[in-house]
Amino acid sequence: MSSDLQDYFDALERLKERGEKINNDSVSREAGRKPGSIKKSRPEFDFLRSEIKKAAGKSSPSGDETKRKDALAELREKLAVAEAKIISGYSREISLLRQIRKLRVELVALKGGSVVPLRAKLD
Protein backbone atom coordinates (compact mmCIF):
# COMPACT_ATOMS: atom_id res chain seq x y z
CA MET A 1 0.00 0.00 0.00
CA SER A 2 1.37 3.39 -0.91
CA SER A 3 2.22 5.92 1.75
CA ASP A 4 -0.45 8.32 0.48
CA LEU A 5 -3.16 5.69 0.67
CA GLN A 6 -1.99 4.69 4.15
CA ASP A 7 -2.41 8.36 5.23
CA TYR A 8 -6.05 8.18 4.19
CA PHE A 9 -6.64 4.94 6.11
CA ASP A 10 -4.92 6.38 9.19
CA ALA A 11 -7.11 9.46 8.91
CA LEU A 12 -10.20 7.26 8.68
CA GLU A 13 -9.22 5.43 11.87
CA ARG A 14 -8.66 8.71 13.72
CA LEU A 15 -12.10 9.94 12.70
CA LYS A 16 -13.65 6.66 13.87
CA GLU A 17 -11.92 6.94 17.24
CA ARG A 18 -13.13 10.50 17.77
CA GLY A 19 -16.64 9.65 16.62
CA GLU A 20 -16.71 12.43 14.07
CA LYS A 21 -18.77 12.59 10.92
CA ILE A 22 -17.16 10.41 8.28
CA ASN A 23 -17.29 11.08 4.54
CA ASN A 24 -14.80 11.34 1.69
CA ASP A 25 -14.09 15.02 2.32
CA SER A 26 -13.61 14.67 6.07
CA VAL A 27 -11.17 11.81 5.53
CA SER A 28 -9.29 13.87 2.92
CA ARG A 29 -9.00 16.85 5.26
CA GLU A 30 -7.92 14.65 8.16
CA ALA A 31 -5.23 13.14 5.92
CA GLY A 32 -3.97 16.63 5.14
CA ARG A 33 -5.29 16.66 1.58
CA LYS A 34 -7.81 18.86 -0.18
CA PRO A 35 -11.50 17.94 0.00
CA GLY A 36 -12.46 16.07 -3.12
CA SER A 37 -9.10 14.32 -3.44
CA ILE A 38 -10.74 10.90 -3.06
CA LYS A 39 -12.09 10.60 -6.59
CA LYS A 40 -14.38 7.91 -7.96
CA SER A 41 -12.41 7.95 -11.19
CA ARG A 42 -9.28 6.66 -9.43
CA PRO A 43 -9.47 2.88 -8.94
CA GLU A 44 -6.85 2.88 -6.17
CA PHE A 45 -9.45 4.56 -3.94
CA ASP A 46 -12.17 1.91 -4.49
CA PHE A 47 -11.37 -0.01 -1.30
CA LEU A 48 -10.92 3.20 0.69
CA ARG A 49 -14.30 4.51 -0.48
CA SER A 50 -15.98 1.25 0.51
CA GLU A 51 -14.37 1.44 3.96
CA ILE A 52 -15.50 5.06 4.33
CA LYS A 53 -19.07 4.03 3.46
CA LYS A 54 -18.97 1.25 6.05
CA ALA A 55 -17.59 3.56 8.72
CA ALA A 56 -20.11 6.27 7.87
CA GLY A 57 -22.92 3.75 8.29
CA LYS A 58 -21.66 2.46 11.63
CA SER A 59 -20.72 5.74 13.25
CA SER A 60 -23.60 7.66 11.77
CA PRO A 61 -23.97 10.72 13.92
CA SER A 62 -27.58 10.93 12.81
CA GLY A 63 -28.44 8.07 15.19
CA ASP A 64 -26.63 9.77 18.03
CA GLU A 65 -28.14 13.10 17.08
CA THR A 66 -31.61 11.59 17.06
CA LYS A 67 -31.06 10.21 20.56
CA ARG A 68 -29.74 13.57 21.74
CA LYS A 69 -32.62 15.44 20.14
CA ASP A 70 -35.13 13.08 21.76
CA ALA A 71 -33.44 13.47 25.13
CA LEU A 72 -33.34 17.25 24.70
CA ALA A 73 -37.03 17.35 23.76
CA GLU A 74 -37.87 15.25 26.82
CA LEU A 75 -35.84 17.56 29.08
CA ARG A 76 -37.51 20.63 27.59
CA GLU A 77 -40.92 19.08 28.23
CA LYS A 78 -39.98 18.32 31.84
CA LEU A 79 -38.70 21.89 32.21
CA ALA A 80 -41.97 23.29 30.88
CA VAL A 81 -43.95 21.17 33.36
CA ALA A 82 -41.70 22.26 36.23
CA GLU A 83 -42.04 25.93 35.25
CA ALA A 84 -45.82 25.56 35.12
CA LYS A 85 -45.80 24.02 38.62
CA ILE A 86 -43.63 26.83 39.95
CA ILE A 87 -45.88 29.50 38.47
CA SER A 88 -48.93 27.71 39.86
CA GLY A 89 -47.27 27.56 43.27
CA TYR A 90 -46.44 31.28 43.19
CA SER A 91 -50.01 32.09 42.22
CA ARG A 92 -51.33 30.00 45.09
CA GLU A 93 -48.92 31.68 47.54
CA ILE A 94 -49.95 35.16 46.41
CA SER A 95 -53.62 34.23 46.71
CA LEU A 96 -53.09 32.88 50.23
CA LEU A 97 -51.11 35.97 51.27
CA ARG A 98 -53.94 38.21 50.05
CA GLN A 99 -56.46 36.11 51.96
CA ILE A 100 -54.36 36.30 55.14
CA ARG A 101 -54.06 40.07 54.82
CA LYS A 102 -57.80 40.41 54.30
CA LEU A 103 -58.54 38.24 57.34
CA ARG A 104 -56.09 40.19 59.51
CA VAL A 105 -57.70 43.44 58.52
CA GLU A 106 -61.13 42.00 59.39
CA LEU A 107 -59.81 40.70 62.72
CA VAL A 108 -58.36 44.08 63.62
CA ALA A 109 -61.66 45.71 62.73
CA LEU A 110 -63.60 43.23 64.88
CA LYS A 111 -61.27 43.50 67.89
CA GLY A 112 -60.86 47.21 67.59
CA GLY A 113 -57.09 47.08 67.88
CA SER A 114 -54.43 48.34 65.53
CA VAL A 115 -51.90 45.49 65.72
CA VAL A 116 -52.55 41.87 64.86
CA PRO A 117 -50.29 39.38 66.67
CA LEU A 118 -48.68 36.72 64.50
CA ARG A 119 -49.03 34.03 67.18
CA ALA A 120 -51.80 33.59 69.66
CA LYS A 121 -50.66 33.57 73.30
CA LEU A 122 -51.42 30.46 75.29
CA ASP A 123 -53.27 31.28 78.52
Side-chain angles (χ1 to χ4, degrees):
M1 185 179 311
S2 73
S3 163
D4 291 338
L5 201 53
Q6 185 60 44
D7 290 344
Y8 286 108
F9 279 102
D10 293 341
L12 177 60
E13 290 304 314
R14 287 192 300 271
L15 290 174
K16 284 182 192 178
E17 289 172 7
R18 292 193 304 242
E20 294 184 20
K21 184 177 179 183
I22 298 175
N23 58 37
N24 290 353
D25 288 341
S26 64
V27 173
S28 296
R29 282 191 295 271
E30 181 66 25
R33 307 299 194 291
K34 293 181 182 178
S37 64
I38 301 174
K39 300 193 181 297
K40 291 180 183 179
S41 62
R42 298 175 69 190
E44 62 267 18
F45 287 128
D46 288 345
F47 183 67
L48 175 64
R49 282 196 316 276
S50 68
E51 290 299 308
I52 289 172
K53 284 182 185 178
K54 286 180 192 175
K58 288 180 183 175
S59 68
S60 173
S62 62
D64 292 339
E65 284 181 33
T66 303
K67 289 178 185 177
R68 286 186 206 133
K69 286 180 182 178
D70 290 345
L72 183 60
E74 184 179 336
L75 288 174
R76 284 183 176 157
E77 186 177 320
K78 287 181 180 180
L79 179 62
V81 168
E83 286 175 343
K85 286 181 180 179
I86 289 171
I87 291 171
S88 173
Y90 283 150
S91 298
R92 187 175 51 251
E93 291 286 326
I94 290 170
S95 174
L96 289 172
L97 288 172
R98 286 181 181 157
Q99 187 176 4
I100 289 170
R101 172 137 171 80
K102 180 182 171 188
L103 290 172
R104 284 184 178 168
V105 168
E106 285 180 23
L107 182 62
V108 168
L110 290 173
K111 283 189 168 184
S114 61
V115 177
V116 178
L118 293 176
R119 294 184 187 194
K121 291 184 181 180
L122 298 174
D123 292 330

mmCIF file of all heavy atoms in Angstrom, residues 72-117:
data_model
loop_
_atom_site.group_PDB
_atom_site.id
_atom_site.type_symbol
_atom_site.label_atom_id
_atom_site.label_comp_id
_atom_site.label_asym_id
_atom_site.label_seq_id
_atom_site.Cartn_x
_atom_site.Cartn_y
_atom_site.Cartn_z
ATOM 1 N N LEU A 72 -33.185 15.803 24.518
ATOM 2 C CA LEU A 72 -33.341 17.245 24.696
ATOM 3 C C LEU A 72 -34.812 17.637 24.700
ATOM 4 O O LEU A 72 -35.249 18.440 25.528
ATOM 5 C CB LEU A 72 -32.587 17.998 23.597
ATOM 6 C CG LEU A 72 -32.593 19.510 23.681
ATOM 7 C CD1 LEU A 72 -31.949 19.973 24.981
ATOM 8 C CD2 LEU A 72 -31.852 20.107 22.492
ATOM 9 N N ALA A 73 -35.590 17.058 23.806
ATOM 10 C CA ALA A 73 -37.027 17.348 23.761
ATOM 11 C C ALA A 73 -37.696 16.906 25.059
ATOM 12 O O ALA A 73 -38.556 17.621 25.594
ATOM 13 C CB ALA A 73 -37.664 16.656 22.566
ATOM 14 N N GLU A 74 -37.296 15.749 25.561
ATOM 15 C CA GLU A 74 -37.866 15.252 26.816
ATOM 16 C C GLU A 74 -37.507 16.177 27.981
ATOM 17 O O GLU A 74 -38.359 16.502 28.820
ATOM 18 C CB GLU A 74 -37.344 13.842 27.093
ATOM 19 C CG GLU A 74 -37.949 13.201 28.317
ATOM 20 C CD GLU A 74 -37.416 11.788 28.541
ATOM 21 O OE1 GLU A 74 -36.961 11.156 27.575
ATOM 22 O OE2 GLU A 74 -37.473 11.345 29.697
ATOM 23 N N LEU A 75 -36.264 16.645 28.017
ATOM 24 C CA LEU A 75 -35.842 17.560 29.076
ATOM 25 C C LEU A 75 -36.576 18.898 28.983
ATOM 26 O O LEU A 75 -36.960 19.473 30.000
ATOM 27 C CB LEU A 75 -34.333 17.783 29.021
ATOM 28 C CG LEU A 75 -33.474 16.609 29.458
ATOM 29 C CD1 LEU A 75 -32.003 16.909 29.208
ATOM 30 C CD2 LEU A 75 -33.704 16.296 30.923
ATOM 31 N N ARG A 76 -36.769 19.374 27.757
ATOM 32 C CA ARG A 76 -37.514 20.627 27.593
ATOM 33 C C ARG A 76 -38.951 20.484 28.062
ATOM 34 O O ARG A 76 -39.512 21.395 28.655
ATOM 35 C CB ARG A 76 -37.472 21.075 26.134
ATOM 36 C CG ARG A 76 -36.145 21.668 25.751
ATOM 37 C CD ARG A 76 -36.143 22.176 24.342
ATOM 38 N NE ARG A 76 -34.871 22.820 24.042
ATOM 39 C CZ ARG A 76 -34.392 22.983 22.856
ATOM 40 N NH1 ARG A 76 -35.070 22.577 21.797
ATOM 41 N NH2 ARG A 76 -33.226 23.576 22.666
ATOM 42 N N GLU A 77 -39.543 19.326 27.785
ATOM 43 C CA GLU A 77 -40.915 19.077 28.231
ATOM 44 C C GLU A 77 -40.981 19.044 29.758
ATOM 45 O O GLU A 77 -41.871 19.637 30.359
ATOM 46 C CB GLU A 77 -41.403 17.752 27.643
ATOM 47 C CG GLU A 77 -42.857 17.458 27.922
ATOM 48 C CD GLU A 77 -43.311 16.174 27.253
ATOM 49 O OE1 GLU A 77 -42.911 15.920 26.098
ATOM 50 O OE2 GLU A 77 -44.074 15.435 27.895
ATOM 51 N N LYS A 78 -40.022 18.365 30.377
ATOM 52 C CA LYS A 78 -39.978 18.321 31.841
ATOM 53 C C LYS A 78 -39.776 19.716 32.420
ATOM 54 O O LYS A 78 -40.371 20.069 33.441
ATOM 55 C CB LYS A 78 -38.860 17.393 32.316
ATOM 56 C CG LYS A 78 -39.161 15.932 32.121
ATOM 57 C CD LYS A 78 -38.011 15.067 32.627
ATOM 58 C CE LYS A 78 -38.296 13.600 32.437
ATOM 59 N NZ LYS A 78 -37.186 12.758 32.923
ATOM 60 N N LEU A 79 -38.934 20.521 31.770
ATOM 61 C CA LEU A 79 -38.700 21.886 32.211
ATOM 62 C C LEU A 79 -39.974 22.710 32.125
ATOM 63 O O LEU A 79 -40.289 23.470 33.041
ATOM 64 C CB LEU A 79 -37.596 22.534 31.374
ATOM 65 C CG LEU A 79 -37.252 23.982 31.696
ATOM 66 C CD1 LEU A 79 -36.733 24.102 33.132
ATOM 67 C CD2 LEU A 79 -36.228 24.520 30.716
ATOM 68 N N ALA A 80 -40.719 22.556 31.040
ATOM 69 C CA ALA A 80 -41.973 23.294 30.883
ATOM 70 C C ALA A 80 -42.967 22.909 31.968
ATOM 71 O O ALA A 80 -43.653 23.778 32.535
ATOM 72 C CB ALA A 80 -42.561 23.038 29.502
ATOM 73 N N VAL A 81 -43.044 21.623 32.296
ATOM 74 C CA VAL A 81 -43.946 21.166 33.359
ATOM 75 C C VAL A 81 -43.509 21.740 34.702
ATOM 76 O O VAL A 81 -44.338 22.223 35.486
ATOM 77 C CB VAL A 81 -43.987 19.616 33.404
ATOM 78 C CG1 VAL A 81 -44.678 19.119 34.652
ATOM 79 C CG2 VAL A 81 -44.659 19.075 32.155
ATOM 80 N N ALA A 82 -42.213 21.719 34.968
ATOM 81 C CA ALA A 82 -41.700 22.259 36.228
ATOM 82 C C ALA A 82 -41.969 23.757 36.331
ATOM 83 O O ALA A 82 -42.374 24.254 37.395
ATOM 84 C CB ALA A 82 -40.200 21.987 36.356
ATOM 85 N N GLU A 83 -41.762 24.487 35.241
ATOM 86 C CA GLU A 83 -42.036 25.927 35.250
ATOM 87 C C GLU A 83 -43.516 26.194 35.515
ATOM 88 O O GLU A 83 -43.867 27.113 36.259
ATOM 89 C CB GLU A 83 -41.615 26.558 33.918
ATOM 90 C CG GLU A 83 -40.118 26.688 33.765
ATOM 91 C CD GLU A 83 -39.708 27.195 32.391
ATOM 92 O OE1 GLU A 83 -40.533 27.144 31.442
ATOM 93 O OE2 GLU A 83 -38.560 27.653 32.263
ATOM 94 N N ALA A 84 -44.386 25.391 34.904
ATOM 95 C CA ALA A 84 -45.824 25.562 35.124
ATOM 96 C C ALA A 84 -46.174 25.317 36.593
ATOM 97 O O ALA A 84 -46.993 26.041 37.177
ATOM 98 C CB ALA A 84 -46.611 24.623 34.217
ATOM 99 N N LYS A 85 -45.547 24.300 37.198
ATOM 100 C CA LYS A 85 -45.802 24.016 38.615
ATOM 101 C C LYS A 85 -45.312 25.159 39.505
ATOM 102 O O LYS A 85 -45.969 25.523 40.486
ATOM 103 C CB LYS A 85 -45.124 22.708 39.026
ATOM 104 C CG LYS A 85 -45.823 21.480 38.500
ATOM 105 C CD LYS A 85 -45.114 20.201 38.957
ATOM 106 C CE LYS A 85 -45.806 18.972 38.440
ATOM 107 N NZ LYS A 85 -45.128 17.733 38.856
ATOM 108 N N ILE A 86 -44.165 25.714 39.168
ATOM 109 C CA ILE A 86 -43.626 26.829 39.949
ATOM 110 C C ILE A 86 -44.546 28.041 39.857
ATOM 111 O O ILE A 86 -44.871 28.674 40.871
ATOM 112 C CB ILE A 86 -42.202 27.184 39.479
ATOM 113 C CG1 ILE A 86 -41.232 26.084 39.904
ATOM 114 C CG2 ILE A 86 -41.757 28.526 40.027
ATOM 115 C CD1 ILE A 86 -39.841 26.219 39.314
ATOM 116 N N ILE A 87 -44.979 28.360 38.647
ATOM 117 C CA ILE A 87 -45.884 29.502 38.467
ATOM 118 C C ILE A 87 -47.193 29.263 39.201
ATOM 119 O O ILE A 87 -47.726 30.167 39.852
ATOM 120 C CB ILE A 87 -46.120 29.761 36.962
ATOM 121 C CG1 ILE A 87 -44.828 30.287 36.342
ATOM 122 C CG2 ILE A 87 -47.262 30.730 36.739
ATOM 123 C CD1 ILE A 87 -44.856 30.380 34.836
ATOM 124 N N SER A 88 -47.705 28.046 39.138
ATOM 125 C CA SER A 88 -48.929 27.708 39.859
ATOM 126 C C SER A 88 -48.720 27.865 41.362
ATOM 127 O O SER A 88 -49.592 28.388 42.076
ATOM 128 C CB SER A 88 -49.336 26.269 39.529
ATOM 129 O OG SER A 88 -50.420 25.866 40.317
ATOM 130 N N GLY A 89 -47.575 27.431 41.846
ATOM 131 C CA GLY A 89 -47.270 27.561 43.274
ATOM 132 C C GLY A 89 -47.176 29.017 43.696
ATOM 133 O O GLY A 89 -47.697 29.406 44.743
ATOM 134 N N TYR A 90 -46.520 29.848 42.878
ATOM 135 C CA TYR A 90 -46.437 31.280 43.186
ATOM 136 C C TYR A 90 -47.824 31.910 43.214
ATOM 137 O O TYR A 90 -48.143 32.708 44.093
ATOM 138 C CB TYR A 90 -45.570 32.009 42.163
ATOM 139 C CG TYR A 90 -44.082 31.812 42.335
ATOM 140 C CD1 TYR A 90 -43.241 31.853 41.236
ATOM 141 C CD2 TYR A 90 -43.518 31.599 43.586
ATOM 142 C CE1 TYR A 90 -41.871 31.681 41.377
ATOM 143 C CE2 TYR A 90 -42.153 31.434 43.731
ATOM 144 C CZ TYR A 90 -41.339 31.472 42.630
ATOM 145 O OH TYR A 90 -39.988 31.305 42.774
ATOM 146 N N SER A 91 -48.653 31.539 42.268
ATOM 147 C CA SER A 91 -50.010 32.088 42.219
ATOM 148 C C SER A 91 -50.784 31.711 43.475
ATOM 149 O O SER A 91 -51.498 32.536 44.059
ATOM 150 C CB SER A 91 -50.751 31.571 40.982
ATOM 151 O OG SER A 91 -50.112 31.993 39.815
ATOM 152 N N ARG A 92 -50.641 30.468 43.886
ATOM 153 C CA ARG A 92 -51.327 29.999 45.095
ATOM 154 C C ARG A 92 -50.819 30.763 46.317
ATOM 155 O O ARG A 92 -51.598 31.193 47.174
ATOM 156 C CB ARG A 92 -51.110 28.493 45.245
ATOM 157 C CG ARG A 92 -51.891 27.858 46.364
ATOM 158 C CD ARG A 92 -51.752 26.332 46.403
ATOM 159 N NE ARG A 92 -50.367 25.883 46.369
ATOM 160 C CZ ARG A 92 -49.794 25.279 45.320
ATOM 161 N NH1 ARG A 92 -50.462 25.075 44.219
ATOM 162 N NH2 ARG A 92 -48.530 24.891 45.376
ATOM 163 N N GLU A 93 -49.505 30.945 46.410
ATOM 164 C CA GLU A 93 -48.915 31.684 47.535
ATOM 165 C C GLU A 93 -49.439 33.115 47.591
ATOM 166 O O GLU A 93 -49.805 33.612 48.663
ATOM 167 C CB GLU A 93 -47.389 31.710 47.416
ATOM 168 C CG GLU A 93 -46.721 30.382 47.633
ATOM 169 C CD GLU A 93 -46.708 29.950 49.088
ATOM 170 O OE1 GLU A 93 -46.595 30.826 49.967
ATOM 171 O OE2 GLU A 93 -46.828 28.748 49.333
ATOM 172 N N ILE A 94 -49.470 33.772 46.453
ATOM 173 C CA ILE A 94 -49.953 35.161 46.414
ATOM 174 C C ILE A 94 -51.416 35.228 46.826
ATOM 175 O O ILE A 94 -51.823 36.109 47.591
ATOM 176 C CB ILE A 94 -49.736 35.761 45.005
ATOM 177 C CG1 ILE A 94 -48.236 35.957 44.767
ATOM 178 C CG2 ILE A 94 -50.482 37.077 44.843
ATOM 179 C CD1 ILE A 94 -47.877 36.306 43.344
ATOM 180 N N SER A 95 -52.204 34.271 46.344
ATOM 181 C CA SER A 95 -53.618 34.230 46.709
ATOM 182 C C SER A 95 -53.781 34.037 48.217
ATOM 183 O O SER A 95 -54.595 34.711 48.863
ATOM 184 C CB SER A 95 -54.308 33.094 45.953
ATOM 185 O OG SER A 95 -55.629 32.946 46.388
ATOM 186 N N LEU A 96 -53.003 33.133 48.784
ATOM 187 C CA LEU A 96 -53.093 32.881 50.231
ATOM 188 C C LEU A 96 -52.620 34.095 51.033
ATOM 189 O O LEU A 96 -53.207 34.429 52.078
ATOM 190 C CB LEU A 96 -52.281 31.646 50.602
ATOM 191 C CG LEU A 96 -52.867 30.311 50.121
ATOM 192 C CD1 LEU A 96 -51.882 29.177 50.370
ATOM 193 C CD2 LEU A 96 -54.198 30.030 50.788
ATOM 194 N N LEU A 97 -51.575 34.770 50.582
ATOM 195 C CA LEU A 97 -51.108 35.972 51.271
ATOM 196 C C LEU A 97 -52.177 37.072 51.255
ATOM 197 O O LEU A 97 -52.380 37.765 52.252
ATOM 198 C CB LEU A 97 -49.804 36.482 50.649
ATOM 199 C CG LEU A 97 -48.570 35.625 50.936
ATOM 200 C CD1 LEU A 97 -47.397 36.114 50.105
ATOM 201 C CD2 LEU A 97 -48.227 35.643 52.416
ATOM 202 N N ARG A 98 -52.850 37.222 50.139
ATOM 203 C CA ARG A 98 -53.939 38.215 50.053
ATOM 204 C C ARG A 98 -55.068 37.850 51.009
ATOM 205 O O ARG A 98 -55.645 38.713 51.672
ATOM 206 C CB ARG A 98 -54.466 38.298 48.617
ATOM 207 C CG ARG A 98 -53.532 39.019 47.692
ATOM 208 C CD ARG A 98 -54.096 39.099 46.301
ATOM 209 N NE ARG A 98 -53.168 39.776 45.414
ATOM 210 C CZ ARG A 98 -53.149 39.646 44.113
ATOM 211 N NH1 ARG A 98 -54.033 38.866 43.518
ATOM 212 N NH2 ARG A 98 -52.272 40.299 43.387
ATOM 213 N N GLN A 99 -55.404 36.568 51.069
ATOM 214 C CA GLN A 99 -56.465 36.114 51.963
ATOM 215 C C GLN A 99 -56.072 36.350 53.419
ATOM 216 O O GLN A 99 -56.895 36.802 54.226
ATOM 217 C CB GLN A 99 -56.745 34.634 51.715
ATOM 218 C CG GLN A 99 -57.942 34.104 52.477
ATOM 219 C CD GLN A 99 -58.230 32.652 52.131
ATOM 220 O OE1 GLN A 99 -57.499 32.021 51.378
ATOM 221 N NE2 GLN A 99 -59.295 32.128 52.694
ATOM 222 N N ILE A 100 -54.826 36.067 53.769
ATOM 223 C CA ILE A 100 -54.356 36.299 55.138
ATOM 224 C C ILE A 100 -54.439 37.781 55.484
ATOM 225 O O ILE A 100 -54.905 38.162 56.556
ATOM 226 C CB ILE A 100 -52.909 35.768 55.317
ATOM 227 C CG1 ILE A 100 -52.915 34.241 55.305
ATOM 228 C CG2 ILE A 100 -52.283 36.301 56.601
ATOM 229 C CD1 ILE A 100 -51.532 33.625 55.243
ATOM 230 N N ARG A 101 -54.004 38.624 54.579
ATOM 231 C CA ARG A 101 -54.061 40.073 54.822
ATOM 232 C C ARG A 101 -55.499 40.524 55.033
ATOM 233 O O ARG A 101 -55.790 41.289 55.948
ATOM 234 C CB ARG A 101 -53.437 40.820 53.645
ATOM 235 C CG ARG A 101 -53.631 42.308 53.723
ATOM 236 C CD ARG A 101 -52.371 43.037 53.360
ATOM 237 N NE ARG A 101 -52.560 44.459 53.220
ATOM 238 C CZ ARG A 101 -52.616 45.298 54.247
ATOM 239 N NH1 ARG A 101 -52.502 44.854 55.473
ATOM 240 N NH2 ARG A 101 -52.781 46.593 54.054
ATOM 241 N N LYS A 102 -56.383 40.048 54.196
ATOM 242 C CA LYS A 102 -57.801 40.413 54.305
ATOM 243 C C LYS A 102 -58.361 39.971 55.660
ATOM 244 O O LYS A 102 -59.061 40.736 56.346
ATOM 245 C CB LYS A 102 -58.586 39.774 53.165
ATOM 246 C CG LYS A 102 -60.062 40.080 53.179
ATOM 247 C CD LYS A 102 -60.759 39.358 52.033
ATOM 248 C CE LYS A 102 -62.264 39.497 52.188
ATOM 249 N NZ LYS A 102 -62.982 38.676 51.230
ATOM 250 N N LEU A 103 -58.044 38.750 56.075
ATOM 251 C CA LEU A 103 -58.536 38.242 57.343
ATOM 252 C C LEU A 103 -57.947 39.003 58.529
ATOM 253 O O LEU A 103 -58.637 39.257 59.532
ATOM 254 C CB LEU A 103 -58.238 36.748 57.468
ATOM 255 C CG LEU A 103 -59.043 35.841 56.538
ATOM 256 C CD1 LEU A 103 -58.526 34.409 56.624
ATOM 257 C CD2 LEU A 103 -60.530 35.902 56.855
ATOM 258 N N ARG A 104 -56.701 39.410 58.442
ATOM 259 C CA ARG A 104 -56.088 40.195 59.513
ATOM 260 C C ARG A 104 -56.761 41.558 59.642
ATOM 261 O O ARG A 104 -56.991 42.041 60.759
ATOM 262 C CB ARG A 104 -54.587 40.364 59.273
ATOM 263 C CG ARG A 104 -53.798 39.131 59.596
ATOM 264 C CD ARG A 104 -52.321 39.368 59.442
ATOM 265 N NE ARG A 104 -51.565 38.178 59.796
ATOM 266 C CZ ARG A 104 -50.300 38.013 59.555
ATOM 267 N NH1 ARG A 104 -49.609 38.954 58.937
ATOM 268 N NH2 ARG A 104 -49.689 36.898 59.910
ATOM 269 N N VAL A 105 -57.024 42.143 58.489
ATOM 270 C CA VAL A 105 -57.699 43.442 58.517
ATOM 271 C C VAL A 105 -59.085 43.297 59.151
ATOM 272 O O VAL A 105 -59.493 44.116 59.982
ATOM 273 C CB VAL A 105 -57.799 44.048 57.101
ATOM 274 C CG1 VAL A 105 -58.739 45.230 57.059
ATOM 275 C CG2 VAL A 105 -56.410 44.425 56.602
ATOM 276 N N GLU A 106 -59.802 42.249 58.794
ATOM 277 C CA GLU A 106 -61.130 41.999 59.385
ATOM 278 C C GLU A 106 -61.012 41.748 60.883
ATOM 279 O O GLU A 106 -61.821 42.246 61.674
ATOM 280 C CB GLU A 106 -61.789 40.792 58.714
ATOM 281 C CG GLU A 106 -62.318 41.053 57.337
ATOM 282 C CD GLU A 106 -62.962 39.805 56.730
ATOM 283 O OE1 GLU A 106 -63.380 38.896 57.482
ATOM 284 O OE2 GLU A 106 -63.036 39.748 55.496
ATOM 285 N N LEU A 107 -60.007 40.988 61.305
ATOM 286 C CA LEU A 107 -59.807 40.697 62.720
ATOM 287 C C LEU A 107 -59.512 41.971 63.496
ATOM 288 O O LEU A 107 -60.055 42.189 64.589
ATOM 289 C CB LEU A 107 -58.661 39.695 62.893
ATOM 290 C CG LEU A 107 -58.356 39.238 64.312
ATOM 291 C CD1 LEU A 107 -59.560 38.507 64.907
ATOM 292 C CD2 LEU A 107 -57.134 38.338 64.329
ATOM 293 N N VAL A 108 -58.681 42.814 62.957
ATOM 294 C CA VAL A 108 -58.358 44.080 63.617
ATOM 295 C C VAL A 108 -59.617 44.918 63.741
ATOM 296 O O VAL A 108 -59.882 45.526 64.786
ATOM 297 C CB VAL A 108 -57.249 44.836 62.847
ATOM 298 C CG1 VAL A 108 -57.116 46.258 63.355
ATOM 299 C CG2 VAL A 108 -55.932 44.101 62.990
ATOM 300 N N ALA A 109 -60.427 44.933 62.699
ATOM 301 C CA ALA A 109 -61.658 45.712 62.730
ATOM 302 C C ALA A 109 -62.619 45.158 63.775
ATOM 303 O O ALA A 109 -63.290 45.923 64.474
ATOM 304 C CB ALA A 109 -62.303 45.727 61.350
ATOM 305 N N LEU A 110 -62.708 43.850 63.913
ATOM 306 C CA LEU A 110 -63.604 43.228 64.879
ATOM 307 C C LEU A 110 -63.125 43.431 66.319
ATOM 308 O O LEU A 110 -63.921 43.634 67.230
ATOM 309 C CB LEU A 110 -63.760 41.734 64.593
ATOM 310 C CG LEU A 110 -64.549 41.378 63.339
ATOM 311 C CD1 LEU A 110 -64.467 39.877 63.089
ATOM 312 C CD2 LEU A 110 -65.999 41.804 63.467
ATOM 313 N N LYS A 111 -61.813 43.358 66.552
ATOM 314 C CA LYS A 111 -61.270 43.501 67.893
ATOM 315 C C LYS A 111 -61.101 44.963 68.279
ATOM 316 O O LYS A 111 -60.984 45.285 69.454
ATOM 317 C CB LYS A 111 -59.919 42.800 67.988
ATOM 318 C CG LYS A 111 -60.031 41.294 68.097
ATOM 319 C CD LYS A 111 -58.669 40.714 68.419
ATOM 320 C CE LYS A 111 -58.787 39.278 68.829
ATOM 321 N NZ LYS A 111 -57.511 38.711 69.229
ATOM 322 N N GLY A 112 -61.018 45.800 67.295
ATOM 323 C CA GLY A 112 -60.859 47.212 67.595
ATOM 324 C C GLY A 112 -59.424 47.612 67.861
ATOM 325 O O GLY A 112 -59.146 48.738 68.232
ATOM 326 N N GLY A 113 -58.488 46.749 67.654
ATOM 327 C CA GLY A 113 -57.086 47.081 67.881
ATOM 328 C C GLY A 113 -56.418 47.523 66.586
ATOM 329 O O GLY A 113 -57.005 47.525 65.509
ATOM 330 N N SER A 114 -55.154 47.901 66.720
ATOM 331 C CA SER A 114 -54.433 48.337 65.527
ATOM 332 C C SER A 114 -53.316 47.376 65.130
ATOM 333 O O SER A 114 -52.760 47.489 64.056
ATOM 334 C CB SER A 114 -53.843 49.733 65.762
ATOM 335 O OG SER A 114 -52.929 49.681 66.833
ATOM 336 N N VAL A 115 -52.986 46.425 66.014
ATOM 337 C CA VAL A 115 -51.897 45.492 65.719
ATOM 338 C C VAL A 115 -52.434 44.079 65.827
ATOM 339 O O VAL A 115 -53.106 43.713 66.784
ATOM 340 C CB VAL A 115 -50.726 45.669 66.724
ATOM 341 C CG1 VAL A 115 -49.644 44.649 66.463
ATOM 342 C CG2 VAL A 115 -50.190 47.077 66.662
ATOM 343 N N VAL A 116 -52.125 43.254 64.840
ATOM 344 C CA VAL A 116 -52.554 41.866 64.856
ATOM 345 C C VAL A 116 -51.363 41.016 65.198
ATOM 346 O O VAL A 116 -50.341 41.065 64.514
ATOM 347 C CB VAL A 116 -53.098 41.461 63.460
ATOM 348 C CG1 VAL A 116 -53.494 40.001 63.447
ATOM 349 C CG2 VAL A 116 -54.259 42.332 63.069
ATOM 350 N N PRO A 117 -51.420 40.243 66.309
ATOM 351 C CA PRO A 117 -50.287 39.381 66.667
ATOM 352 C C PRO A 117 -50.158 38.232 65.666
ATOM 353 O O PRO A 117 -51.147 37.752 65.141
ATOM 354 C CB PRO A 117 -50.656 38.865 68.051
ATOM 355 C CG PRO A 117 -52.135 38.970 68.130
ATOM 356 C CD PRO A 117 -52.519 40.127 67.261
#
